[in-house]
Amino acid sequence: MKPTTSPKTYRVKSFGCQMNVYDGERMAEMLGERGIVPAPEGEEADLVVLNTCHIREKAAEKVYSDIGRLTKAGREAGKEPLIAVAGCVAQAEGEEIMKRSPAVSMVVGPQAYHRLPEMLDRAVQGERATDTDMPAIAKFAALPERRRTNPASFLTVQEGCDKFCTYCVVPYTRGAEISRPYADLVTEAKKLVDAGAKEITLLGQNVSAWGGEDEKGHRVGLAGLIHDLAKVEGLARIRYTTSHPADMDGDLIAAHGEIEKLMPFLHLPVQAGSDRVLKAMNRSHTAESYLKLLDRFRAARPDLALSGDFIVGFPGETDAEFAETLALVDEVRYAQAFSFKYSPRPGTPAATMDGQVAKEVMDDRLQRLQAALNRDQLAFNEASVGRTCEVLVERKGKHAGQWLGKTPWLQSAWFEGDAAIGDLVQVELLEAGPNSLSAKLRETVAA
């Protein structure tokens, strides 16, 4: 690769989970510290960071497609951009990316992206570099302070996973479970609020496994952290995701009934309704234990909205076992949910299991599952009509004077009136659709 001039503009394109969104924001902040600015909308950037996700099938192929598109657009514009591939695909396939795509200057894994600026210096000199080291949480100390953020912001508190579900690549791309220190999280939360955040979502591959020592040296779990973050002046809302049923303790359940700032929403993946399938997935819960856990949460917070994840067509899943998943959905009545067809990830145990389910069978099951989930999401939204609640304004709508934001139950709501991004407003929910609700502005809530 030939030497190039230092980039003046950048674009970070993040795929997949909210943790990738957080990582993308932090990489953008590092580039901003170098005086590199976001590329104007519609213009090609001098530096493009593809912040990738490896959960779904063909994730790597999508990366190569993006690389090809960027290279072609750069040639047509007379200057090819510097390209960095970050995230979980970079971690899993870094050397292969470098061999297959000469246009890529940098490959950096999700635990090493704090080294992106020094890798950029080398790339400007014509060097190509790969860094997929996994140095625990060292990256956080190297990241710049939070100076500007969105009203609803993310804060990574925990990374990695020790559960080794047989379908999942996270333990291999993000490493073992590790918690960031309590003091660092409180400090960063305060910085986010100073930078404009009204709501913070605590993130982790298994966020409910977070643990640390508070300022008095007492051992606390996620509930203790939430209790203390709720004391941060100016922070109005707290959420957390994603959790594992095995790590939901009594303190966290109680927190939903005790902490006003903890929003009445819980995302708790189950993946399947069949105990045999759950065991094959190496999930540590059964359908019954999962349902009993949800009962405890609902007892603590009766208006709790529930969300989940589902995989259909896991190797060996029969029609009868899929029917058990539908039965579980009928019983829970999720307010939201994510559902996917099983896709084999290289290096995971499930990829070599017998009984791989035919594509057409998975397609049919996914359509049936999503029909049930969509039914319940619409029903939840319709049951919300007539409620008066707070909405955090996150962005402008498509039309003049229109605003969009989230209810406490993470529903999208839109309204018209005098408001601004970052406002907490009281609205009456008027009409429900499958994905959002219309609302009438009542008043702006003091921050």
Side-chain angles (χ1 to χ4, degrees):
M1 180 174 287
K2 298 178 181 179
T4 185
T5 57
S6 297
K8 294 181 173 60
T9 63
Y10 73 85
R11 179 167 289 115
V12 178
K13 184 176 181 181
S14 292
F15 304 83
C17 69
Q18 292 168 321
M19 292 189 71
N20 261 22
V21 175
Y22 173 88
D23 290 345
E25 290 174 350
R26 302 300 265 143
M27 283 187 273
E29 289 167 354
M30 285 191 295
L31 296 173
E33 291 281 302
R34 286 292 190 94
I36 311 173
V37 300
E41 195 66 34
E43 293 186 16
E44 298 298 324
D46 299 329
L47 167 66
V48 179
V49 181
L50 300 175
N51 188 27
T52 62
C53 174
H54 204 271
I55 295 298
R56 306 313 310 153
E57 189 178 12
K58 299 181 180 178
E61 295 307 314
K62 292 176 183 176
V63 173
Y64 293 122
S65 176
D66 265 0
I67 293 168
R69 181 191 61 77
L70 289 167
T71 303
K72 180 180 178 181
R75 286 171 180 164
E76 291 174 351
K79 182 182 178 182
E80 294 184 32
L82 284 170
I83 299 174
V85 179
C88 291
V89 173
Q91 185 69 38
E93 306 188 29
E95 294 299 331
E96 179 63 23
I97 292 170
M98 280 302 214
K99 291 177 184 177
R100 185 168 164 179
S101 297
V104 174
S105 302
M106 297 158 276
V107 171
V108 60
Q111 304 293 29
Y113 67 74
H114 58 294
R115 297 173 183 150
L116 183 61
E118 60 192 68
M119 296 176 73
L120 177 59
D121 290 340
R122 294 164 61 187
V124 169
Q125 297 302 313
E127 296 182 38
R128 302 176 76 211
T130 298
D131 191 341
T132 52
D133 192 17
M134 300 181 73
I137 56 172
K139 67 182 179 187
F140 292 102
L143 298 175
E145 288 188 1
R146 313 305 299 266
R147 290 189 171 88
R148 183 180 60 187
T149 191
N150 299 316
S153 295
F154 298 128
L155 173 56
T156 292
V157 303
Q158 179 274 340
E159 289 204 329
C161 187
D162 295 342
K163 298 299 185 283
F164 287 92
C165 298
T166 56
Y167 52 82
C168 186
V169 297
V170 166
Y172 312 102
T173 58
R174 290 273 185 170
E177 289 178 357
I178 189 163
S179 298
R180 292 182 63 192
Y182 167 96
D184 292 358
L185 298 175
V186 174
T187 298
E188 187 170 341
K190 290 177 179 178
K191 293 288 185 182
L192 283 170
V193 172
D194 291 343
K198 297 286 183 65
E199 173 182 300
I200 293 178
T201 299
L202 309 179
L203 301 178
Q205 267 83 34
N206 182 17
V207 69
S208 46
W210 182 88
E213 289 188 356
D214 66 14
E215 57 189 5
K216 296 180 180 179
H218 298 149
R219 187 73 184 171
V220 293
L222 184 64
L225 177 64
I226 292 171
H227 269 284
D228 289 347
L229 292 182
K231 300 173 186 175
V232 174
E233 187 175 351
L235 178 59
R237 293 175 161 191
I238 301 171
R239 304 183 190 272
Y240 63 90
T241 194
T242 292
S243 300
H244 191 287
D247 295 310
M248 308 300 280
D249 61 25
D251 289 342
L252 190 55
I253 293 170
H256 278 270
E258 297 169 351
I259 304 174
E260 185 178 355
K261 291 184 179 181
L262 181 57
M263 292 295 96
F265 184 89
L266 174 65
H267 179 68
L268 190 61
V270 62
Q271 306 300 0
S274 160
D275 288 349
R276 190 206 65 79
V277 172
L278 289 170
K279 185 175 181 180
M281 289 177 167
N282 198 34
R283 302 289 286 178
S284 56
H285 57 86
T286 64
E288 182 181 7
S289 69
Y290 177 83
L291 292 170
K292 287 183 176 179
L293 183 59
L294 296 187
D295 286 342
R296 294 174 65 195
F297 273 99
R298 281 174 159 159
R301 186 69 191 257
D303 66 336
L304 190 69
L306 294 170
S307 172
D309 288 349
F310 293 88
I311 295 172
V312 302
F314 187 80
E317 183 187 61
T318 66
D319 289 340
E321 289 166 342
F322 173 67
E324 292 181 86
T325 295
L326 293 179
L328 184 143
V329 167
D330 288 345
E331 183 163 351
V332 174
R333 300 290 177 177
Y334 290 94
Q336 298 179 20
F338 302 93
S339 53
F340 309 93
K341 293 179 288 186
Y342 168 74
S343 59
R345 310 312 303 135
T348 60
T352 57
M353 286 182 178
D354 294 334
Q356 300 287 324
V357 177
K359 179 181 181 299
E360 58 270 20
V361 174
M362 285 197 285
D363 289 342
D364 176 70
R365 290 178 184 171
L366 185 62
Q367 289 178 18
R368 292 164 61 193
L369 174 61
Q370 290 182 340
L373 294 171
N374 292 339
R375 171 203 69 200
D376 292 344
Q377 181 169 321
L378 177 59
F380 183 84
N381 287 347
E382 289 176 338
S384 301
V385 170
R387 273 177 165 168
T388 298
C389 67
E390 290 183 8
V391 165
L392 176 60
V393 181
E394 297 183 14
R395 59 187 176 91
K396 292 182 178 180
K398 294 181 180 179
H399 307 292
Q402 189 180 76
W403 303 94
L404 286 90
K406 291 291 195 301
T407 73
W409 304 278
L410 207 64
Q411 300 155 298
S412 293
W414 64 270
F415 64 92
E416 297 177 347
D418 185 14
I421 293 172
D423 282 350
L424 272 169
V425 298
Q426 284 275 2
V427 303
E428 180 185 353
L429 301 176
L430 299 179
E431 187 175 352
N435 300 308
S436 65
L437 297 100
S438 64
K440 181 178 181 180
L441 179 64
R442 291 299 187 190
E443 61 178 325
T444 300
V445 181

